[in-house]
Amino acid sequence: HTGRSRNDQVALDCRMYAKLACQETQEMLRELLSVLLDIAQDNLHTIMPGYTHLQKAQPITLAHHMMAYFQMFRRDLDRFAHAYNAADVMPLGSGALAGTTYPLDRQMTARELGFSRVIPNSLDAVSDRDFLLDLMYACSVSCMHLSRLAEEIILWSTSEFAFVTLSDSFSTGSSIMPQKKNPDFAELVRGKTGRVVGDLVALLVTMKGLPL
């Protein structure tokens, strides 16, 4: 622990966690993109109505519709790449806030821990949480895209639309009405999105009142 404070160690741990979270989420997004591509490829000639204002507007293909979501999640990959880059800066050596008199080799430590560079200002290093805001913003936008897709699955599975029939493994029946098949997984995605967006707002509100 020579030359280290809890301040720069906690900042370091947060950055290492954020980098890992970005990588794991990007991998899941790539799996989702692959699934969307498969659906689009299998439905190049599946005709469906395109909607504006939830009213039938023009005919499109299901492939075209799915590729719109592909583009959304592809942009999410870029947002997580930006969040990773923001977190990929090492704060160790900053001490509590004003550095240390020990002759530390910060560049060597950064290389050993897998960071691309070091933070040049010690006060900023221990107080900066912008990289977490970047990560949470990327999560919020990605969840918003997931929620839009989930909302369409919910609509499409109703008897009014009847575009899709959900697998029993991804839905439940009613406790009293046997004709119903409830899109639980899509409703859970839609609900979870509100919590993620709330986390972003909570951290923004926390940070706005913190002087150096």
Side-chain angles (χ1 to χ4, degrees):
H1 291 277
T2 300
R4 298 179 186 174
S5 163
R6 281 173 298 182
N7 288 11
D8 60 358
Q9 289 188 35
V10 167
L12 173 75
D13 291 347
C14 286
R15 288 180 179 276
M16 294 179 74
Y17 172 81
K19 289 173 62 177
L20 180 62
C22 286
Q23 291 173 322
E24 291 178 343
T25 308
Q26 282 181 305
E27 184 57 35
M28 288 186 284
L29 279 170
R30 291 187 184 97
E31 293 179 13
L32 176 57
L33 288 170
S34 177
V35 171
L36 291 172
L37 278 176
D38 289 342
I39 295 174
Q41 185 65 43
D42 292 341
N43 291 277
L44 293 174
H45 304 291
T46 303
I47 306 300
M48 64 171 290
Y51 286 81
T52 62
H53 305 274
L54 269 183
Q55 301 174 62
K56 293 177 181 177
Q58 292 177 293
I60 59 172
T61 64
L62 179 58
H64 195 66
H65 195 101
M66 289 295 102
M67 288 306 293
Y69 282 104
F70 180 93
Q71 296 300 327
M72 295 182 204
F73 294 118
R74 179 64 186 83
R75 292 193 297 271
D76 290 336
L77 276 179
D78 294 336
R79 269 181 278 271
F80 281 103
H82 172 80
Y84 180 93
N85 184 64
D88 192 26
V89 197
M90 195 202 68
L92 278 187
S94 300
L97 77 160
T100 176
T101 57
Y102 289 102
L104 304 179
D105 187 345
R106 300 184 70 211
Q107 300 293 341
M108 181 275 291
T109 307
R111 288 193 299 271
E112 290 294 316
L113 293 175
F115 285 89
S116 64
R117 58 203 189 279
V118 300
I119 300 177
N121 183 284
S122 61
L123 188 53
D124 180 54
V126 297
S127 65
D128 172 35
R129 295 297 183 270
D130 292 356
F131 65 96
L132 290 179
L133 290 171
D134 290 336
L135 172 58
M136 295 168 74
Y137 174 71
C139 289
S140 295
V141 175
S142 189
C143 278
M144 178 267 291
H145 292 152
L146 285 170
S147 185
R148 294 182 71 183
L149 178 57
E151 181 68 18
E152 293 209 319
I153 292 172
I154 293 168
L155 287 173
W156 290 359
S157 64
T158 63
S159 58
E160 286 77 11
F161 278 78
F163 286 179
V164 298
T165 300
L166 297 177
S167 166
D168 289 344
S169 59
F170 290 101
S171 55
T172 61
S174 167
S175 59
I176 194 173
M177 294 166 284
Q179 81 279 8
K180 291 187 64 183
K181 182 180 283 191
N182 299 322
D184 287 350
F185 81 95
E187 292 172 339
L188 289 170
V189 169
R190 186 177 61 178
K192 175 69 172 176
T193 296
R195 294 171 57 190
V196 176
V197 174
D199 289 339
L200 171 61
V201 174
L203 184 56
L204 280 168
V205 173
T206 299
M207 293 301 297
K208 64 89 182 170
L210 293 180
L212 291 176

